[in-house]
């Protein structure tokens, strides 16, 4: 069932028209990375301390289903943003490229369609499933000790599923880099968890691994990044306020993203090589 599920996800990303730019037909995303975490992995309980008590575990979400049920697995994926789109964003210094903005809006709509597709695939196979990002219990909390946060973090789920580790700018560095969109689905189908082959939760980031790099700091046009980390409030105000106000109408989208700190950096498309090699 694991192989069948992975193939379905791969085929959907490759063949679904929603993963295509309206002109030219080039894909928003290339071949996905897929990982699995046990729904009862202690990490999900730890996230209620790391992120906040409002962050719901897979079991808490499943208990809000009608009727409640016991989850077994969290299926996670990373959708790497295409090379052409990443290249278009490298030369930008203030606002994202049009291709990046279209990927943020229409590509994320495709990601939501993928979430629904995975849920339907599992339900049709006789299992129970839901996508936390689309769950009625999903909430955003604008003022928490860690800044703006949500009741489910796709990044933290992906870390639990072995897809990557965190970076100075709070994103996830996967074997295919930091420029991607993430998704997840919770199910009662039992699938063996993926290994987490990292020495710690930040080992793929050169800054945390050896105190070098910090390229993302210089890429941020509003100073939301520093050696101390990521100022979510400044970042969000720019990404959801100033940027769409400046280029949203011209690009024909309401959500633009930014992505400057995810392009023209050593971790854009790979785990960066430094003086110290991450484990493994």
């Amino acid at each position: 069932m694991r192989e069948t599920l992975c193939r379905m996800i791969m085929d959907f990303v490759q063949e679904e028209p929603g993963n295509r730019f309206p002109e030219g037909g080039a894909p928003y995303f290339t071949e996905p990375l897929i990982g699995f975490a046990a729904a009862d992995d202690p990490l999900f309980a730890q996230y209620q301390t790391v992120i906040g008590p409002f962050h719901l575990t897979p079991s808490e979400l499943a208990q809000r289903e009608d009727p409640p049920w016991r989850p077994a697995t969290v299926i996670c994926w990373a959708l790497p943003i295409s090379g052409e789109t990443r290249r278009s964003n490298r030369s930008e210094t203030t606002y994202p490229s049009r291709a990046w903005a279209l990927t943020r809006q229409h590509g994320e709509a495709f990601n939501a369609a993928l979430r629904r597709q995975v849920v339907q695939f599992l339900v049709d196979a006789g299992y129970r499933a839901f996508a936390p990002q689309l769950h009625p219990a999903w909430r955003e909390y604008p003022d928490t000790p860690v800044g703006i946060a949500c009741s489910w973090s796709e990044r933290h789920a992906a870390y639990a599923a072995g897809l990557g580790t965190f970076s100075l700018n709070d994103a996830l560095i996967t074997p295919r880099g930091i420029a991607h969109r993430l998704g997840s689905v919770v199910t009662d189908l039992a699938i063996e968890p993926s290994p987490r082959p990292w020495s710690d939760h930040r080992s793929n980031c050169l800054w945390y691994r050896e105190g070098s790099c910090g390229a993302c700091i210089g890429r941020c046009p509003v100073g939301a990044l520093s050696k101390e980390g990521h100022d979510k409030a400044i970042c969000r105000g720019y990404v959801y306020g100033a940027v769409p106000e400046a280029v949203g109408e011209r690009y024909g989208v309401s959500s633009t993203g930014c992505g400057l700190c995810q392009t023209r950096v050593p971790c854009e498309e790979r785990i960066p090589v430094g003086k110290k090699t991450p484990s493994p």
Side-chain angles (χ1 to χ4, degrees), residues 168 205-207 211-219 265-266:
L168 184 63
C205 176
L206 285 177
W207 175 256
S212 66
C213 192
C216 58
I217 296 174
R219 285 287 282 157
V265 291

Side-chain angles (χ1 to χ4, degrees), residues 71-183:
T73 305
V74 182
I75 305 161
C76 298
W77 58 83
L79 301 175
I81 294 174
S82 73
E84 184 175 352
T85 295
R86 288 187 281 103
R87 283 190 293 273
S88 75
N89 215 44
R90 288 175 196 162
S91 60
E92 301 295 336
T93 57
T94 304
Y95 304 120
S97 68
R98 180 175 181 270
W100 188 276
L102 291 176
T103 298
R104 173 59 183 87
Q105 177 150 324
H106 303 308
E108 184 53 33
F110 166 76
N111 195 15
L114 176 56
R115 293 181 179 101
R116 290 188 288 268
Q117 178 70 14
V118 173
V119 169
Q120 192 60 55
F121 174 85
L122 291 163
V123 170
D124 289 346
Y127 300 98
R128 287 168 288 197
F130 61 80
Q133 195 80 7
L134 305 178
H135 197 283
W138 187 91
R139 296 288 185 276
E140 184 177 82
Y141 298 87
D143 187 18
T144 80
V146 296
I148 299 161
C150 302
S151 55
W152 179 265
S153 168
E154 299 284 34
R155 291 178 300 119
H156 286 76
Y159 171 74
L163 291 182
T165 77
F166 297 95
S167 63
L168 184 63
N169 63 9
D170 276 344
L172 199 79
I173 302 176
T174 76
R176 298 278 296 282
I178 199 172
H180 51 65
R181 303 296 300 175
L182 300 170

Side-chain angles (χ1 to χ4, degrees), residues 17-29:
N19 184 30
R20 296 287 185 275
F21 281 92
E23 64 274 358
Y28 296 119
F29 306 112

Side-chain angles (χ1 to χ4, degrees), residues 31-49:
E31 183 175 311
L33 298 174
I34 304 170
F36 304 91
D40 61 357
D41 190 309
L43 271 177
F44 290 108
Q46 291 175 28
Y47 292 159
Q48 296 187 318
T49 300

